[in-house]
Amino acid sequence: MLVASTCWFARHPRVGIAILILAACPGGDPATSEGTSTGSTSMGSTSTTTSGGTGEPTTDAVPTTGAVPTTSAVDPTTGSTTTGDLACEPMSVEPCYSGDPKTEGVGPCHAGTRTCDALGAGFGACEGEVVPQVDDCTTPEDEDCDGQLKLCPGEAYWAKRFGEAENQEPGALEVAADGTSVLVGSIQATTDFGLGPIVSKGDYDMFVAKFAADGEPVWVRSIGSVQNQSGAGVAADGTGQIAVVGGFYDTVDFGGGPLTQEGFIDAYVAVFDADGAHVWSKGFGDTAHQIAQDVAVTPADEFVVTGTAAGTTDFGGGPLTSAGSEDHFIVKFTPGGEHVWSKLFGDAGEQSGEPKVEVQASGDIVAAGTFSSTIDFGSGPLPAAGLSDVYLTTLDGDGKAVWAKRFGDAAYQYVNDLDVDPASGRIVIVGAFEGKVDFGGGSLDSAGGLDLFAAVFEADGAPVWSRRFGDGAKQSGMATAFAVNGDILLSGSFDGTLDLGGDPLIGAGGEDMFLARLAADDGTHVRSARFGDTSYQRGYCLGHDGADNVFSAGMFGGTLSLGGIDLVSHGKADIHFSKLAF
């Protein structure tokens, strides 16, 4: 910070370096003023001069504001004198830092110094500072000064196992830019997320757990009864509220009072604040089957929920009756839980699977799912070509169709996950298929059994690229996410050999988990890895933070090594949860 000023110089002259000259402007005739003055004195804001011409003193006001005093500085090396306003105190030294202010004092980054030149004309270059550089993952230094250790791709910052003798399964994962995360799912018997054991009240209870960026638990909630409850989807709004969706039997209480099942299984939406306190919760259903599978948040912090419903369901806007055995629904709620609109999609056939939903920055709603028979989102009927096809659709914020597409042939095609890139609006879907499927870039032919697919589209539904991976065994894409730079992250499970474009991944037996990164523009291989032993390991959930670290969750038996950290299952199926450089 500059601290020198002309007034500072007036109080603290530096002899031999700079001489301050205050020149008063006489008010009389110039010739008289230049006569033989015998002396002058300065008092307050007036200057008194005895004129040689008249012998009478004259006074002229010296401005106290609105005028900058004249200054001069002498260069001691050349003897030259500069007159004018000084930019800084000659030869003064001050700290300087040209990096992002938030990085100063973090890691190796620190300020340097700069010196004012001898004429006071300005400061020289900043010397001795250390500013952020590209982080080198092979060193322990924090070269980019973000306060985080940078690991090399494939290494784990942390990896955790949750579960005991019975089954535990994650349903969905939400990761914030700062690395905090929320994991939801179902647990059986006893599970400890790090804050003490939680015991299910019956068969399966749902859970929601929040973690800090370092993987340490912040809070955990487990809700259940003597029967089953699931945690299937999660999303966080701009205020930190967390919405969880799923299905429940019997009676459950999320903190706002009991919700009682009306029939076979009912859908629920429960919202908690950032500290895990109950905000609102609602259940929906009749004597048939209803379950919520996914939730997303609009730019206005509204909640959009999708799932499956048979029978008659009232989400708050009046009863909706399915056309067949099971339809897909989409419903929008205000931040406070009030119904905005709700719709069912389907016919006399079956729309099954686990539909997914995301929201564009524009507020448009993107949904994907698996269906049989015919489905119509409002832009015209989409007839299935075979046993089950994939749909992808965009609705506007009021639920009106923008576009819809169907993909598949006479065999089976399934979609398992969906994501939207907030920067470009691009859409990615992943899943598995038999037979042939064309996402708009040409036919993809299964090598046998189930192959996994990944397909990317523009926001208007135009195809960007699509890829197939697999051999004669079974491969399935279960989770996807757009990385910070627009690359595609994939996870799932496979038998046999999986070639994602790098070195082929060879399964150790049973099912192994894979993790892959594909290039944004064409889906070419960036990196991939296999995790597992002769038991089974699956990747169900993906996310990333603002530093592009990858968060992965799934279930496993046996031993699972994640980035050098070994996890050993304690029961039939445990949850794995990790943060990786990838």
Side-chain angles (χ1 to χ4, degrees), residues 154-201:
E155 296 180 328
Y157 292 92
W158 46 261
K160 295 178 178 288
R161 177 203 62 82
F162 307 119
E164 295 303 331
E166 297 298 328
N167 294 313
Q168 292 78 28
E169 183 174 352
L173 172 66
E174 177 84 353
V175 182
D178 65 1
T180 56
S181 59
V182 180
L183 185 67
V184 303
S186 304
I187 58 172
Q188 207 176 23
T190 301
T191 306
D192 190 343
F193 291 94
L195 296 176
I198 295 174
V199 180
S200 65
K201 296 179 181 178

Side-chain angles (χ1 to χ4, degrees), residues 377-580:
F377 293 94
S379 55
L382 301 175
L387 298 173
S388 67
D389 285 6
V390 170
Y391 70 76
L392 180 63
T393 186
T394 289
L395 311 178
D396 68 15
D398 296 323
K400 298 177 181 177
V402 178
W403 57 263
K405 295 190 174 188
R406 176 206 65 81
F407 311 102
D409 70 352
Y412 288 98
Q413 291 80 30
Y414 307 93
V415 63
N416 291 322
D417 203 11
L418 159 75
D419 196 25
V420 167
D421 183 7
S424 67
R426 282 184 171 181
I427 302 162
V428 60
I429 56 175
V430 299
F433 75 103
E434 296 175 337
K436 302 175 184 290
V437 63
D438 188 345
F439 294 100
S443 179
L444 304 178
D445 299 348
S446 170
L450 281 173
D451 284 5
L452 76 90
F453 71 80
V456 177
F457 305 84
E458 299 290 0
D460 62 2
V464 178
W465 57 261
S466 53
R467 301 285 303 275
R468 175 206 67 83
F469 308 99
D471 63 359
K474 178 183 176 182
Q475 297 83 22
S476 182
M478 299 299 298
T480 188
F482 279 97
V484 170
N485 67 348
D487 285 351
I488 306 299
L489 302 172
L490 298 177
S491 188
S493 62
F494 74 101
D495 296 331
T497 299
L498 180 61
D499 187 347
L500 292 154
D503 293 335
L505 306 178
I506 301 174
E511 292 180 69
D512 283 3
M513 185 181 92
F514 73 87
L515 186 60
R517 179 186 284 257
L518 306 179
D521 290 335
D522 57 9
T524 54
H525 178 271
V526 176
R527 66 180 61 96
S528 57
R530 178 199 67 83
F531 309 91
D533 64 358
T534 56
S535 186
Y536 65 92
Q537 295 80 25
R538 300 167 187 163
Y540 283 167
C541 313
L542 278 178
H544 65 81
D545 62 16
D548 211 24
N549 297 306
V550 175
F551 291 66
S552 172
M555 62 187 296
F556 77 106
T559 299
L560 177 63
S561 181
L562 290 164
I565 301 174
D566 290 339
L567 305 177
V568 179
S569 171
H570 284 201
K572 298 176 182 177
D574 285 1
I575 294 171
H576 65 80
F577 183 34
S578 60
K579 175 182 175 181
L580 305 166

Side-chain angles (χ1 to χ4, degrees), residues 242-262:
I242 298 163
V244 181
V245 301
F248 72 99
Y249 290 91
D250 198 42
T251 298
V252 295
D253 189 342
F254 294 96
L259 304 177
T260 301
Q261 161 202 2
E262 296 291 335

Side-chain angles (χ1 to χ4, degrees), residues 26-52:
D29 184 277
T32 304
S33 300
E34 292 175 1
T36 56
S37 61
T38 59
S40 66
T41 61
S42 178
M43 297 178 61
S45 60
T46 61
S47 174
T48 303
T49 304
T50 303
S51 171

Side-chain angles (χ1 to χ4, degrees), residues 18-85:
I19 301 172
L20 179 65
I21 302 172
L22 299 179
C25 298
D29 184 277
T32 304
S33 300
E34 292 175 1
T36 56
S37 61
T38 59
S40 66
T41 61
S42 178
M43 297 178 61
S45 60
T46 61
S47 174
T48 303
T49 304
T50 303
S51 171
T54 63
E56 297 293 330
T58 63
T59 61
D60 294 301
V62 177
T64 58
T65 61
V68 178
T70 305
T71 60
S72 64
V74 178
D75 188 335
T77 60
T78 64
S80 61
T81 301
T82 300
T83 302
D85 299 332

